[in-house]
Amino acid sequence: MLIKVLLTVIFLAVMVGVGFYSRRSAQNVDGFVLGGRNVGGWLTAFAYGTSYFSAVVFVGYAGQFGWKYGMSASWIGVGNAVIGSLFAWLILGRRTKLMTQHIQSRTMPDFFGTRYNDEWLRVIASIIAFVFLIPYTAGVYMGISKLFEMGFGIPYEYCAVTMAILTAVYVILGGYKATAINDFIQGIIMLFGITTVIAVVLNSQGGLVAATEKMAMMVPNADDLTQKGAALYANFQPGDFASWFGPNPMSLLGVVILTSLGTWGLPQMVGKFYSITDEAAIRRGTIISTIFAFIVAGGCYFLGGFGRLFVATAFNSEKGKFVYDNIVPSMLETLPDFLIALVILLVLSASMSTLAGLVLTSSSTMTLDLIYRDKKSVDGEVEGGEINDEVAEKIERRKVVVMRVLIVFFIVLSLMIALNPPQFIAQLMGISWGALAGAFLAPFMMGLYWKGVTRLAVWACFVWGVGLTVVNMLAGNSILNPIDCGAVAMLGGFIVVILVSLMTPKMDSEKVEQIFKCYDA
């Protein structure tokens, strides 16, 4: 226990220390939200990766999908690396950096408002982002708290509250720069931690070959077949849990799409491209981010694929429900104290980095796109229709103060959900990613490439993504499970944007050409 407490205290002290170190760079909006648009490739790549993979992946997704699909769940990690990291950087990185800098966009809702010349798009996009980032954040709290409960014997509630306070401290102090530096430190811990834990866990089962042979003998049990969605195993064949594509390849494909393509439409992920230094840094970041994802995401899902070898009553039933979120913690309970401490630091690193990105994105969106959405003036502080330098500086400082207040509000709100969670972590994530990426992905990505996207097409995609997710949720997920619903929302968004754009009035061609001039150089 002394080892676990000591390592955790040192880790948390470093995180807060970085916040104090970075506070000078967080005095104005660009510094607080984007690190002055001067963050290098290494820091951006690690910030992207650590924001992508949190306790939600390590505890929630790896446990649930490893249980459902066996060793084939590793394909989710491969998809995250290739589609979610490599292709995301190649397709979005350069164009996002150039266009957002050209139109002076600081957030994704700001992009929609400026790119499509519609202030109400900015407002509605900011509300969508704020509302649906909350269940995502709640899922992160749940994941880390499960591990703390296992490692320290501390009640879930105390873990969630403590992590919320510490994350708030370093984000409020140092803004994006503190987040990026801490992400780099946390990323190093994640790389070392996941490789070590996989080696030790497999060794406890006699090695990789022996563990694979044991998985080949596994079959669905009574708990699987009594759960909603037992059709997953309708055509199950002996050995499926150790096969290349598992018991249900199509269901697995839906998970790969949601968890990989979904990042392209998430404000806190795309925002990393806003702040990167230059195109050379983007090229470096592409390689670093992809390697990071292969190791961390691939390792998490590969580890989760062996969950059935660690059967324990802890996750067989709880209040009559199957508890997927307890699978990975139960796999790690028998590890030596030092390794449990390492796992806690691994998941703490992943979770705090994701939380920092989420709360910073949400607070900046609400501040810049709702409260201060008029970029030109503030009532009562404009002389002769122009803002002088002194007033402009005052407004900047006020915006940063408002963002810091909203960070506290957002953390408290999501913490309340985490303390009374309505669903498993994976379901919370499916709802959040489905609505956000379903609404934002298609109009954002196509807005970077296609001059023909219309304002009404963006509105239609907002209605489609949020509408499908909410209707399915209100129907008790009886139409589609949250994971598949999210995948359908994202892919369907492209069809919606294309069809509506072809049928509705085009935007002013001169304004569109002016926006796309950023790619000429």
Side-chain angles (χ1 to χ4, degrees), residues 27-56:
Q27 301 304 310
N28 57 34
V29 173
D30 262 1
F32 192 82
V33 177
L34 300 173
R37 294 188 189 265
N38 193 33
V39 182
W42 278 89
L43 288 182
T44 303
F46 272 74
Y48 185 92
T50 53
S51 295
Y52 194 166
F53 310 116
S54 66
V56 172

Side-chain angles (χ1 to χ4, degrees), residues 131-154:
V131 170
F132 286 98
L133 283 176
I134 291 173
Y136 188 174
T137 311
V140 176
Y141 281 124
M142 290 169 63
I144 182 58
S145 298
K146 292 284 186 183
L147 262 295
F148 257 86
E149 203 167 21
M150 179 272 292
F152 290 96
I154 301 173

Side-chain angles (χ1 to χ4, degrees), residues 340-373:
I340 289 181
L342 181 63
V343 170
I344 290 171
L345 289 186
L346 185 166
V347 182
L348 190 60
S349 297
S351 301
M352 290 184 74
S353 58
T354 302
L355 273 180
L358 288 170
V359 298
L360 192 56
T361 298
S362 184
S363 65
S364 60
T365 292
M366 291 294 286
T367 302
L368 301 178
D369 302 316
L370 275 182
I371 300 173
Y372 286 100
R373 70 177 183 272

Side-chain angles (χ1 to χ4, degrees), residues 5 10 86 142 157 164 199 215 236 331 338 356 385 391 464 496 514:
V5 171
I10 292 173
L86 177 61
M142 290 169 63
E157 294 80 6
M215 283 299 300
F236 185 86
M331 295 174 69
F338 176 77
V391 172
W464 159 259
V496 170
Q514 180 61 35

Side-chain angles (χ1 to χ4, degrees), residues 76 106 179 195 221 241 281 284-285 307 417:
I76 306 172
R106 290 163 165 172
T179 302
T195 51
N221 60 24
F241 285 129
R284 287 194 301 274
I417 295 177

Side-chain angles (χ1 to χ4, degrees), residues 44 94 113 166 196 286 298 319 336 346 363 369 428 444 451 461 475 521:
T44 303
R94 175 180 177 272
L166 290 168
T196 304
T286 302
K319 298 180 181 178
L346 185 166
S363 65
D369 302 316
L428 284 176
F444 181 81
K451 299 176 183 178
C461 198

Side-chain angles (χ1 to χ4, degrees), residues 93-357:
R94 175 180 177 272
R95 285 187 168 249
T96 299
K97 164 68 179 177
L98 294 178
M99 185 176 285
T100 56
Q101 189 165 345
H102 179 62
I103 64 177
Q104 299 181 343
S105 167
R106 290 163 165 172
T107 65
M108 186 178 274
D110 190 13
F111 172 87
F112 289 126
T114 307
R115 165 67 178 84
Y116 299 108
N117 194 30
D118 189 335
E119 281 300 304
W120 280 105
L121 276 178
R122 186 197 315 275
V123 172
I124 298 303
S126 65
I127 294 172
I128 293 171
F130 188 83
V131 170
F132 286 98
L133 283 176
I134 291 173
Y136 188 174
T137 311
V140 176
Y141 281 124
M142 290 169 63
I144 182 58
S145 298
K146 292 284 186 183
L147 262 295
F148 257 86
E149 203 167 21
M150 179 272 292
F152 290 96
I154 301 173
Y156 168 88
E157 294 80 6
Y158 297 130
C159 300
V161 171
T162 302
M163 190 178 67
I165 293 171
L166 290 168
T167 304
V169 168
Y170 83 74
V171 177
I172 289 172
L173 283 172
Y176 183 77
K177 197 65 173 286
T179 302
I181 295 173
N182 276 334
D183 286 349
F184 184 76
I185 298 170
Q186 293 158 350
I188 298 295
I189 295 172
M190 290 167 67
L191 289 172
F192 177 72
I194 192 64
T195 51
T196 304
V197 169
I198 289 172
V200 174
V201 168
L202 289 181
N203 187 58
S204 72
Q205 293 294 320
L208 176 60
V209 174
T212 304
E213 290 174 350
K214 292 177 184 177
M215 283 299 300
M217 294 188 292
M218 290 289 168
V219 296
N221 60 24
D223 288 309
D224 296 318
L225 301 177
T226 56
Q227 298 301 305
K228 180 182 178 182
L232 182 72
Y233 305 111
N235 299 310
F236 185 86
Q237 298 294 321
D240 272 358
F241 285 129
S243 65
W244 277 94
F245 299 109
N248 196 320
M250 291 308 297
S251 176
L252 178 62
L253 179 62
V255 178
V256 172
I257 292 172
L258 176 73
T259 60
S260 302
L261 194 60
T263 58
W264 297 28
L266 298 180
Q268 77 278 12
M269 300 298 295
V270 175
K272 303 295 187 288
F273 301 131
Y274 287 43
S275 59
I276 198 165
T277 309
D278 52 34
E279 293 185 53
I282 292 173
R283 289 191 290 272
R284 287 194 301 274
T286 302
I287 298 169
I288 297 163
S289 178
T290 303
I291 294 172
F292 183 91
F294 262 117
I295 296 173
V296 174
C300 285
Y301 288 109
F302 180 71
L303 177 67
F306 293 94
R308 288 179 180 269
L309 302 183
F310 296 83
V311 178
T313 55
F315 62 84
N316 278 343
S317 62
E318 182 179 286
K319 298 180 181 178
K321 295 182 179 180
F322 201 83
V323 186
Y324 294 114
D325 298 343
N326 288 346
I327 294 175
V328 170
S330 73
M331 295 174 69
L332 307 174
E333 282 179 333
T334 57
L335 293 179
D337 283 344
F338 176 77
L339 285 177
I340 289 181
L342 181 63
V343 170
I344 290 171
L345 289 186
L346 185 166
V347 182
L348 190 60
S349 297
S351 301
M352 290 184 74
S353 58
T354 302
L355 273 180

Side-chain angles (χ1 to χ4, degrees), residues 19 22-28 32 168-175 359-360 363-364 367 397-411:
S22 306
R23 68 186 186 280
R24 289 184 182 177
S25 63
Q27 301 304 310
N28 57 34
F32 192 82
V169 168
Y170 83 74
V171 177
I172 289 172
L173 283 172
V359 298
L360 192 56
S363 65
S364 60
T367 302
R397 288 199 301 267
R398 184 180 298 176
K399 288 178 182 178
V400 173
V401 170
V402 172
M403 278 189 273
R404 286 173 166 149
V405 171
L406 284 174
I407 284 173
V408 175
F409 172 73
F410 182 78
I411 283 179

